[in-house]
Amino acid sequence: MIYNQAEFDIRCEWGIQGVSQLAPISDVIVIVDILSFSTSVEIATNNGAIIYPYRWRDDSAVEYAKSVQAELLRGRLSQEGYSLSPASLTKIPAGTKLVVPSPNGSTLTLLTGKTPTIAGSLRNCEAVAKFAQRQGNRIAVIPAGEKWEDDTLRPAFEDLVGAGAILSFLNGSFSPEAETAVAAFHTFKKDLLGYLKKCSSGKELIAKGFELDVELAAAFNVSDCVPLLIENFYINSKKERSPASDSPNT
């Protein structure tokens, strides 16, 4: 097919269509949603939490959380509990099981099928790239993007740069789309925090009082945690175990 970049080892494409085109023909797929799904998942799983992605924040999410004996992530503006604010997850206890509704990162995660899936961010870009390279030569990196009010894809600066950061540590033949992401990363890497604060998504979070979340997301290559999707949950690949062996944090 014309759009699947199959003639290249290293591929990059946006959002849902990117997953549908690339996941079936890739050895591993990396979901990149910098503000804030991927950053939150990295921080939580690095602390030993177990993250269940879920597409919708509605009554079905409540029932799903009950079914897996997990807490349900609260809305970002909630003053209590855990949310998609990475800052709320920095001290999450090991063994905590958390259902994470997200229209971007979680949704894409749940569409990857049987292709090994990992969550990548600026924080763990090198570790993710090295892990992905061990899974095979055909690697797809998916910048999630955000949504406009009409639910169409808004390509997001931070996800392009985050994808480029991961791609910059990979080896193989690169599609033009992948090379574009790498070029974007190299252009802005000298001041990731400054640019993340100035981009649309960063300005939106800062206006709502979440500047710390932007700072956590901009931290470059500070973690060796690779959140790996096992069946229906993300867990630190270095601490892979069944969530059934952990006591739910309630």
Side-chain angles (χ1 to χ4, degrees), residues 102-155:
S102 161
N104 300 311
S106 283
T107 296
L108 298 182
T109 295
L110 296 171
L111 295 174
T112 60
K114 295 182 179 180
T115 305
T117 302
I118 53 186
S121 67
L122 288 167
R123 296 176 61 86
N124 62 353
C125 52
E126 183 175 6
V128 163
K130 289 180 176 178
F131 185 92
Q133 203 93 66
R134 292 195 295 270
Q135 310 310 304
N137 295 324
R138 302 175 303 165
I139 300 171
V141 179
I142 307 294
E146 297 292 338
K147 295 290 180 63
W148 291 110
E149 290 184 358
D150 65 358
D151 208 39
T152 56
L153 173 69
R154 175 174 72 80

